[in-house]
Amino acid sequence: MLPDQDGQNAGGGGGGVSEDPSVSLFREYLRLKTVHPEPDYDAALGFLGRISEELGLPMKKVEVCPGRVVTILTWTGTNPALKSILLNSHTDVVPVYQEHWKYDAFAAVKDAEGNIYGRGSQDMKSVTIQYIEAIRRLKAAGKTFPRTIHLMFVPDEEVGGQKGMEVFIKHPEFHKLNIGFALDEGLANPTEAFTVFYGERNPWWVTVRCPGSPGHGSRFVENTAAEKLRRVINLFLDFRERERQRLNTSECFTLGDVTTVNMTMVRGGVAYNVIPAEMDVSFDIRIPPTVNLQEFEEQIKAWCKEAGDDVTYEFAQKGMNQNTTSTEDSDPWWRAFSSTCKSLNMTLKKEIFPAATDSRFIRAAGLPAIGFSPMNRTPILLHDHNEFISESVFLKGIHIYETLIPALASVPTLTTEA
Ligand SMILES: CSCC[C@H](NC(C)=O)C(=O)O
Ligand SMILES: [Zn+2]
Ligand SMILES: [Zn+2]
């Protein structure tokens, strides 16, 4: 059977069978080119405006930076004084290497097995539409809940959130939302289990500058930049290897539990026969919340000193917040989340998110946030070629949110709210 491109009477293994409207809406959203470096955010705003009308929920738009709008749809609870629930998602997606894709990455093709291909199908346009469709079903069923629910759609997560969530979290409009608990993105899990993230590693992007004596490329010049650079690289990558071993030898560790170091850029030199006066190397370091950050920076300082005279470092990114979200049964939000998953026979794996999402800003603001994308039996393909989600996993995810959202929005009044 040919893959289905138009979404009207989709294949998905059942030729001629009408496609679930939720799936059609998801595929329509995948076709919007909200892709960096120039995301079509106007297309996303138009789409969300339509959703706001369909759901009968008021929409607020806050332009946090020129051309960067945060959109919020609000379903007010029966007791609006209570803390609200935030369902957060980002609207942007990362670029593609189209030549490596089976299909056009923005055509939202559904193949004969019912797999839906597209950039953002896992990260995180599926989650956006699952939130929307769960809310649509709950409203259609006439449900109401004590707590207000906010659906929030933010730009620029994929480029660090500096013109998105990081600014909005400090905006008075964010404070007005009166958030008590947030859901945001997670990762797929290839097994039967679902992964949930209660914290993130801090990203540290470091450039180490190695100045040295210049001279003619034919001589043995002392104290060159390259000799220092070599020591720096060895010290950082030896540590990388120790952490890699630590991960590989401990069964209970995941990537989020160890520090990763990757050398990502090297600069320096002007000509083959000129020994350069400076060489620089950059590292992407990700540090678990359990690591003492002051001590870790002391370690970097010591490596630079050991590498030679005047070796310095500077940060392009230095996350310092180590807040994690409680996953204790005594926590009312976690209890509502985990007991609902249990009632749906879902197995949860609790982990630290290995990279950085907008959840880090939410947790840094002192709010609990769980990273969760309901995709089990699915390979992790975010940012990868041929990113896809199966139609059945996508539809099950709507059902999961249809059960989770009422539980969260009905968490009894907390002692801090009384
Ligand atoms: C530090 S801002 C960059 C954010 C990006 N997030 C993801 C999910 O890839 C990252 O972790 O590299
Ligand atoms: Zn994402
Ligand atoms: Zn991403």
Side-chain angles (χ1 to χ4, degrees):
M1 187 185 299
L2 288 174
D4 169 65
Q5 305 243 4
D6 62 14
Q8 294 310 304
N9 284 307
V17 178
S18 258
E19 186 171 77
D20 187 303
S22 310
V23 176
S24 304
L25 187 76
F26 171 43
R27 295 175 69 197
E28 181 189 339
Y29 189 46
L30 283 175
R31 291 186 189 107
L32 306 184
K33 291 203 165 174
T34 53
V35 56
H36 287 285
E38 283 181 45
D40 184 358
Y41 284 132
D42 286 343
L45 289 178
F47 180 88
L48 295 171
R50 199 182 92 209
I51 299 294
S52 151
E53 281 177 22
E54 285 176 15
L55 297 181
L57 296 180
M59 173 159 118
K60 179 162 258 170
K61 293 197 272 184
V62 182
E63 190 169 33
V64 290
C65 288
R68 298 292 184 266
V69 175
V70 171
T71 307
I72 303 133
L73 304 189
T74 297
W75 187 6
T76 305
T78 53
N79 187 353
L82 294 179
K83 295 273 181 196
S84 65
I85 304 301
L86 172 65
L87 305 176
N88 188 57
S89 63
H90 62 81
T91 54
D92 55 327
V93 297
V94 293
V96 296
Y97 293 93
Q98 186 54 60
E99 66 276 22
H100 292 287
W101 282 63
K102 286 198 237 178
Y103 310 111
D104 179 343
F106 296 93
V109 168
K110 181 165 70 174
D111 72 7
E113 282 80 52
N115 293 326
I116 298 163
Y117 287 82
R119 175 57 85 221
S121 54
Q122 293 193 8
D123 179 17
M124 63 172 302
K125 288 184 169 179
S126 50
V127 175
T128 304
I129 303 299
Q130 287 165 330
Y131 291 153
I132 290 170
E133 291 302 292
I135 296 286
R136 192 195 302 275
R137 291 182 195 179
L138 293 167
K139 286 208 88 197
K143 307 276 188 202
T144 56
F145 309 107
R147 294 181 187 273
T148 294
I149 299 161
H150 299 290
L151 288 151
M152 190 152 102
F153 310 91
V154 294
D156 273 19
E157 187 275 343
E158 295 292 7
V159 288
Q162 280 81 27
K163 291 181 182 170
M165 188 63 107
E166 187 171 17
V167 215
F168 187 56
I169 213 100
K170 295 176 191 115
H171 197 287
E173 288 298 335
F174 179 83
H175 294 283
K176 279 193 210 163
L177 300 177
N178 189 29
I179 291 161
F181 179 80
L183 288 181
D184 200 345
E185 68 187 305
L187 294 176
N189 187 318
T191 75
E192 191 57 38
F194 294 81
T195 323
V196 289
F197 298 94
Y198 60 95
E200 296 191 353
R201 298 192 298 178
N202 265 311
W204 279 19
W205 292 349
V206 188
T207 292
V208 181
R209 300 199 186 290
C210 305
S213 308
H216 197 283
S218 64
R219 303 180 62 228
F220 281 119
V221 171
E222 294 295 322
N223 207 27
T224 62
E227 289 170 292
K228 295 177 190 176
L229 180 81
R230 181 165 67 146
R231 285 182 217 118
V232 168
I233 293 173
N234 283 344
L235 288 162
F236 276 75
L237 295 192
D238 286 351
F239 173 72
R240 177 187 193 271
E241 185 53 24
R242 291 197 294 277
E243 287 296 284
R244 204 174 70 86
Q245 293 297 343
R246 213 157 66 84
L247 173 63
N248 290 345
T249 51
S250 171
E251 283 211 347
C252 54
F253 276 4
T254 65
L255 191 54
D257 299 312
V258 296
T259 301
T260 50
V261 178
N262 280 294
M263 185 174 129
T264 49
M265 291 186 284
V266 196
R267 276 172 309 273
V270 287
Y272 277 107
N273 58 356
V274 177
I275 295 172
E278 180 176 316
M279 297 194 99
D280 302 340
V281 56
S282 301
F283 299 95
D284 182 347
I285 308 175
R286 308 294 175 125
I287 313 167
T290 44
V291 169
N292 182 316
L293 295 178
Q294 279 71 35
E295 281 175 17
F296 192 74
E297 187 170 353
E298 287 304 318
Q299 179 66 87
I300 291 178
K301 214 178 270 176
W303 286 334
C304 289
K305 194 157 184 265
E306 190 181 334
D309 293 340
D310 304 319
V311 173
T312 57
Y313 63 92
E314 68 182 50
F315 290 103
Q317 185 82 229
K318 191 186 185 197
M320 292 298 287
N321 191 280
Q322 297 187 301
N323 288 355
T324 52
T325 296
S326 172
T327 55
E328 298 294 324
D329 283 338
S330 56
D331 183 89
W333 303 112
W334 176 253
R335 211 168 43 240
F337 183 94
S338 58
S339 62
T340 305
C341 292
K342 199 168 177 200
S343 74
L344 292 168
N345 288 321
M346 295 163 61
T347 304
L348 299 183
K349 292 261 179 285
K350 295 190 260 181
E351 288 186 21
I352 294 294
F353 198 84
T357 74
D358 279 342
S359 292
R360 73 191 188 281
F361 303 118
I362 303 174
R363 293 195 190 101
L367 299 171
I370 291 291
F372 173 62
S373 298
M375 292 182 282
N376 66 340
R377 300 172 176 225
T378 303
I380 301 174
L381 289 170
L382 81 168
H383 297 204
D384 205 342
H385 310 317
N386 297 312
E387 180 181 353
F388 75 87
I389 183 173
S390 82
E391 184 171 28
S392 64
V393 167
F394 171 77
L395 288 169
K396 274 184 208 147
I398 299 176
H399 179 64
I400 291 169
Y401 284 122
E402 214 184 323
T403 321
L404 259 183
I405 294 168
L408 292 169
S410 307
V411 164
T413 307
L414 310 174
T415 46
T416 48
E417 291 173 310

